[in-house]
């Protein structure tokens, strides 16, 4: 867009002063002290809060992700497995579950989670991933092409 | 809430007592392991705001093993707060003063410094030998597996085992065995 007259370069004043301040005060309503009552102080803290909110949207996702990883690691360690081996083996078995689902399964469906670790262990043994903590543990109830090929 | 669900709830959130034998273990690697049990990181229900950590009893802390010459090189700093009050104590010196301190500091330092850390440490009980009060020992329901096998010293073998062990070489007749 090309401005042909200087009139468009004047900054728009916006709405009436009352409504402008009211918009800031509404955002500052839950602050404590002069931050919520005095406009010149409130507007600074509102701008800071909005900046934190912008950063927080990303941080929240990262925090949840690390929490799920901690929980799934705990679930794996109960069955003598490393987190990395577990995820890699699941991907190789075409079980594409994300961290959130795995963490929920570890908490609410421990038997389902155990069968997932059994599948992952069988896959890790078949593919020769050397990261298993306890190699002697029997995982015979999982049948894969690898086990069938070995038996025949 | 049904009786089953109620018991399930208790079983999920109950604090369990673990025991760990620190004999011949690296205290700093052991700290990472014990920390997981103290903070509840070994449970899938873990959350930083969720107080789900367990109690841990550590025995034989006087028999921990530091690698290399760390007994002589590792120093522990303390400051009394007064001018000139700084002291640096070597690990062997600290261990001779209090045989639980090296392990305790290792576990304390392995955790993040937050308000919960001191309360988490209160759930840790370290004993320099195997003499644990029966009041504590009665609670124990799990043993944490040691990180490395305890080596057996030559003087712990019986005379028969030493004699029957197959010899690889004969010492020369003029060799002085010290």
């Amino acid at each position: 867009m090309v401005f042909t007259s200087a009139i468009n370069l004047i900054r728009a004043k916006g709405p009436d002063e009352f409504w402008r301040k009211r918009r800031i005060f509404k955002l500052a309503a839950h602050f404590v002290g002069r931050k919520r009552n005095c406009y010149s102080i409130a507007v600074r803290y509102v701008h800071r809060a909005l900046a934190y909110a912008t950063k927080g949207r990303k941080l929240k996702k990262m925090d949840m992700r690390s929490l799920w990883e901690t929980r799934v690691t705990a679930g794996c360690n109960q069955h003598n497995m490393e987190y990395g081996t577990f995820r890699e083996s699941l991907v190789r078995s075409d079980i594409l579950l994300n961290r959130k689902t795995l963490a929920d399964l570890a908490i609410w469906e421990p038997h389902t989670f155990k069968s997932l670790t059994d599948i992952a262990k069988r896959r890790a043994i078949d593919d020769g991933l050397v990261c298993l903590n306890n190699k002697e543990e029997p995982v015979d109830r999982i049948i894969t092409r690898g086990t069938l090929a070995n038996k025949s | 809430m049904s009786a089953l669900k109620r018991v399930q709830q208790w079983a999920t959130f109950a604090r369990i007592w673990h025991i760990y034998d620190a004999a011949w273990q690296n205290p700093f690697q052991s700290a990472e392991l014990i920390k997981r049990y103290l903070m509840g990181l070994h449970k899938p229900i873990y959350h930083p705001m969720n107080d789900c950590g367990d109690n841990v009893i550590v025995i034989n802390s006087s028999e921990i093993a530091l690698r290399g010459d760390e007994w002589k090189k590792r120093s522990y700093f303390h400051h009394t707060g007064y001018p000139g009050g700084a002291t640096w104590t070597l690990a062997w010196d600290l261990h001779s003063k209090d045989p639980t301190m090296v392990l305790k500091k290792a576990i304390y330092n392995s955790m993040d410094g937050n308000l919960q850390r001191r309360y988490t440490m209160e759930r840790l009980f370290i004993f320099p030998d195997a003499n644990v009060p029966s009041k504590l020992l009665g609670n124990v329901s799990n043993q944490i597996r040691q990180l490395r096998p305890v080596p057996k010293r030559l003087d712990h073998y019986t005379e028969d085992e030493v004699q029957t062990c197959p010899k690889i070489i004969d010492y020369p007749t003029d060799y002085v065995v010290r």
Side-chain angles (χ1 to χ4, degrees):
Chain A
M1 193 161 141
V2 180
F3 295 114
T4 50
S5 61
I7 194 77
N8 285 328
L9 295 172
I10 299 169
R11 279 172 63 190
K13 200 88 194 326
D16 181 56
E17 185 189 11
F18 173 80
W19 296 108
R20 243 187 305 140
K21 289 189 174 177
R22 193 180 129 104
R23 209 181 58 176
I24 297 296
F25 280 133
K26 283 191 89 165
L27 291 171
H30 63 288
F31 293 172
V32 174
R34 287 201 297 163
K35 287 187 254 182
R36 60 177 285 170
N37 296 324
C38 304
Y39 176 76
S40 63
I41 298 173
V43 69
R44 280 182 242 156
Y45 280 91
V46 164
H47 284 160
R48 171 175 287 193
L50 290 175
Y52 280 143
T54 306
K55 284 181 190 167
R57 281 197 290 277
K58 190 145 200 173
L59 288 176
K60 184 181 176 185
K61 294 179 185 78
M62 286 159 67
D63 286 350
M64 288 312 291
R65 187 182 157 121
S66 65
L67 176 64
W68 292 328
E69 276 176 16
T70 313
R71 286 176 167 179
V72 177
T73 306
C76 291
N77 290 353
Q78 285 180 347
H79 305 296
N80 285 324
M81 226 182 163
E82 299 283 334
Y83 175 76
T85 318
F86 178 64
R87 289 304 299 272
E88 174 67 21
S89 305
L90 284 190
V91 169
R92 289 183 184 210
S93 313
D94 277 346
I95 301 174
L96 305 176
L97 298 175
N98 58 8
R99 291 173 179 81
K100 183 182 184 208
T101 316
L102 287 173
D104 283 347
L105 287 177
I107 295 171
W108 298 102
E109 301 282 345
H111 294 292
T112 311
F113 191 80
K114 181 173 188 306
S115 57
L116 282 177
T117 57
D118 282 348
I119 292 171
K121 270 179 202 166
R122 185 74 258 170
R123 171 61 67 176
I125 291 168
D126 287 353
D127 285 8
L129 303 179
V130 287
C131 320
L132 280 187
N133 288 339
N134 190 359
K135 290 209 176 74
E136 295 82 39
E137 205 169 317
V139 278
D140 288 339
R141 64 203 188 94
I142 308 293
I143 297 172
T144 59
R145 288 196 199 96
T147 48
L148 291 177
N150 288 339
K151 277 184 183 155
S152 61
Chain B
M1 190 183 268
S2 70
L4 175 68
K5 281 284 172 191
R6 194 159 61 220
V7 172
Q8 198 180 23
Q9 176 95 353
W10 289 339
T12 306
F13 288 98
R15 288 197 199 283
I16 302 170
W17 286 71
H18 306 268
I19 195 166
Y20 181 74
D21 186 358
W24 284 91
Q25 305 301 307
N26 182 338
F28 308 105
Q29 289 174 359
S30 303
E32 292 297 324
L33 178 71
I34 293 167
K35 178 189 87 169
R36 296 177 53 78
Y37 288 89
L38 281 176
M39 293 172 67
L41 282 164
H42 66 301
K43 298 180 182 178
I45 57 166
Y46 173 79
H47 189 273
M49 310 279 288
N50 171 3
D51 188 16
C52 62
D54 287 345
N55 303 286
V56 178
I57 297 173
V58 180
I59 59 171
N60 293 330
S61 76
S62 63
E63 293 174 42
I64 52 170
L66 264 63
R67 40 181 264 175
D69 55 355
E70 267 198 74
W71 284 118
K72 292 188 221 160
K73 298 290 181 187
R74 184 177 283 271
S75 65
Y76 287 89
F77 176 77
H78 176 71
H79 202 292
T80 60
Y82 290 100
T87 51
W88 286 267
T89 312
L90 295 179
W92 64 268
D93 200 6
L94 185 72
H95 197 64
S96 64
K97 282 173 178 152
D98 184 355
T100 63
M101 205 54 123
V102 173
L103 192 60
K104 189 178 175 185
K105 280 178 175 289
I107 295 170
Y108 186 78
N109 289 330
S110 70
M111 290 190 277
D112 290 340
N114 53 23
L115 290 176
Q116 199 58 38
R117 176 159 67 163
R118 288 178 184 266
Y119 299 103
T120 308
M121 286 298 287
E122 284 184 0
R123 276 185 257 118
L124 173 70
F125 303 89
I126 308 181
F127 296 96
D129 45 20
N131 295 329
V132 184
S134 55
K135 202 178 168 187
L136 294 185
L137 206 55
N139 298 322
V140 171
S141 58
N142 181 37
Q143 183 181 10
I144 303 175
R145 187 183 288 271
Q146 283 182 310
L147 286 171
R148 54 187 68 195
V150 178
K152 196 171 177 185
R153 276 190 351 225
L154 184 59
D155 57 341
H156 288 173
Y157 284 96
T158 59
E159 192 65 31
D160 285 348
E161 283 174 324
V162 175
Q163 291 301 328
T164 53
C165 184
K167 263 203 302 190
I168 299 172
I169 55 156
D170 281 319
Y171 286 116
T173 49
D174 54 347
Y175 186 81
V176 181
V177 182
R178 282 194 285 183

